[in-house]
Amino acid sequence: MSSMRIALALGGGGVKGLAHIGVIRALEKINICIEAIAGASMGAIVGVLYSLGYSIDEIEQIFQRIQKSGYLGHNRKVEPSFLGNRGLEESLRKVVGNCTFNDLKIPMIITATEIKHGREVFLRDGPLVDALLASSALPGIFPARRIGDMDLTDAGTINPVPVEAARSLVDVHTPVVAVVLTPPLGVPATMDPVAVPGHVPRWITERIKQIRFVRAVEVFFLSQDLLNRAITRHSLNLSKPDLIITPEVAHLHSFERVYVTEIALKGDQAVRGSLPELLKLFPETLRTESSL
């Protein structure tokens, strides 16, 4: 087993988080051992599947199936929400089942936001599906998840990249690598907040986007994107990870239909681009030849 060990902090971002698949695949290729994982939202989902023992290829196939079946849908048994996450919940129950944190092969923390008091919560025991649904419950869009006496929502509401959670799982000598899915402030938004299927004629697309409700939704999502960027910058300035890896996925909308392999490749490419800085985290005697 490699002596080059890291803790991973996997950020949230909807389908942007599929880039985490490529990040982990690239780390495996260069024989870096992932000693612990902290995940927020989609970062938590990818992290849990990997920590349960699914191979990277299997995880990619799981998300290909989820992309076909969809993430959304209302469940009458839960609190009202704008879109609902029935599709995601059904998919998670198929691949995670009744597993708990005790079933994980890699130590892991899932983060969420306790909405009443506005505080970050580290989840480290109990059923994994409940923790994942809490961590990815975008306020108002997906229903909050009640765990114990807490109403929990999306981890990114307070901290999109859980560096401190990852750091708490390892000793002081283990580097913490943060995978960030949001661009910095000042970079123009390139995503299309209101994605319309590509087969729809352009003139119809433009008419749809002139509807007042659709324009309002567009402004809402763009403002949330800016807020997420600001929170991310603030949290990273405070937590100071040893290395930040930023896959080029800022152009994607959180709920967009994408090619999983294509987005995973963005993660692989980001690790390639960060390889010199990554290897500097370890003593020269431990560095291995990279196959990237």
Side-chain angles (χ1 to χ4, degrees), residues 157-180:
T157 306
I158 285 187
N159 185 8
V161 190
V163 174
E164 290 298 343
R167 186 171 284 133
S168 72
L169 292 169
V170 293
D171 63 47
V172 295
H173 303 295
T174 303
V176 176
V177 176
V179 184
V180 180

Side-chain angles (χ1 to χ4, degrees), residues 73-74 79-84 138-143 213 217 220-221 255:
H74 286 286
E79 292 295 319
S81 58
F82 182 57
L83 294 177
L138 191 64
I141 305 299
F142 294 159
F213 174 75
V217 171
F220 170 78
F221 278 117
F255 308 123

